[in-house]
Amino acid sequence: MVRAHNFNAGPSALPLDVLKKAQEELIDFKGTGMSVMELSHRSKEFEDVLADAKDRLKKLMEIPDTHEILFLQGGASLQFSMLPMNFLQEGKVGAYVVTGSWSKKALKEAQNFGETVVVASTEDDSFTHIPEVSVNTLPENTGYLHITTNNTIYGTQWQDFPNFGDVPVFADMSSDILSKKVDVSKFAVIYGGAQKNLGPSGVTIVILRKDLLNQQNSGLPTMLDYTTHIKANSLFNTPPTFGIYMLSLVLEWVEQNGGVEGIQKRNEEKAALLYDLMDEFPEFYTPHARKDSRSLMNVTFTMPNEELTKDFLQKAKAEGFIGLNGHRSIGGCRASIYNAVPIETCQALAQFMKSYREAHLQSVK
């Protein structure tokens, strides 16, 4: 078979080596005579899978012992509610930086549980960049600061993270976790769905600083209480066993490809292929994001008109380029180039974009 050039925004591309290994083990996992999907989540075999996934993630991200690692369900969208439900206390405010659709959704959910404030937003500028935020921006009674580190729809990404002092920082890293080096100790909570850089959909990663539990609200539903899942080692109820297994294989693949440093270098090279071409022909391929906020994960751009965009997308699909449509809310085009997207796929897209432009200019002469 010929593999598609997969630019889907999520669920997204998985490493071919990972898919092949999963295929080999699908029917008989490590001599058990069962698929990993058939194993009891209480079995030693699955406990080993879970421990392997936690250990690999801890080493790759250099997660300190001050933080717990949880594998939950419900996606990042459930965390939008679960975080304020657990940690937004009376007399405190949840501070939010609004940089796109997902941070707006996180804010909306938090408003159900207490007082919130938007400390910075780029909505008036169509979310073209990441705003400047500092500890001085925050109210004195800030309980936590919430940010979304990468914005899949608009193609912007935090390039670095300021020091916010003692204020706990909660970061939705759904679309750029493990794509570059991050100092985990700067964050009280990192969370994200697995379906972009870590594996298939169905698993939610939560990395939570243990001392937060000292300021946890009471009267929480059992399943929405982080303590429940910490005490049960993410096994309070049946977890997404196959998703955790696949996540472990993806982490093993990251290790084999130079770790986070190697992945970051390759991501920078992939993004440069597309951004350099757009900077060369900005009148034809116009980037949505400002240069200082461009995402390594989601390259968003517009073309001169709707008719040309439609034709470009049709011809690209015919050539095997899948998932280049911009999000339905803003249109245009978007290439999601997550960790598993090969550099050869980005090279092929850059060449197609160049050839398409040349052919179009010839046709209108």
Side-chain angles (χ1 to χ4, degrees), residues 36-37 39-42 46 50 71-73 202-203 223 229 232-244:
V36 70
M37 290 184 282
L39 296 176
S40 166
H41 63 293
R42 305 294 181 192
F46 182 73
L50 181 65
F71 299 113
L72 304 180
Q73 299 178 69
V203 185
M223 281 294 291
H229 302 289
N233 190 29
S234 300
L235 293 169
F236 179 77
N237 67 324
T238 306
T241 54
F242 187 72
I244 293 170

Side-chain angles (χ1 to χ4, degrees), residues 78-138:
L78 181 58
Q79 296 304 308
F80 296 165
S81 299
M82 201 166 162
L83 283 165
M85 184 185 289
N86 277 259
F87 302 121
L88 183 51
Q89 298 179 311
E90 189 174 349
K92 298 285 188 177
V93 299
Y96 283 73
V97 180
V98 176
T99 49
S101 298
W102 298 111
S103 52
K104 286 179 70 175
K105 289 180 179 183
L107 170 66
K108 180 176 180 293
E109 294 304 313
Q111 290 168 342
N112 294 321
F113 300 100
E115 187 180 352
T116 62
V117 61
V118 176
V119 292
S121 172
T122 53
E123 187 167 14
D124 290 343
D125 195 26
S126 302
F127 296 124
T128 57
H129 63 282
I130 301 298
E132 291 186 10
V133 190
S134 71
V135 68
N136 298 323
T137 314
L138 308 180

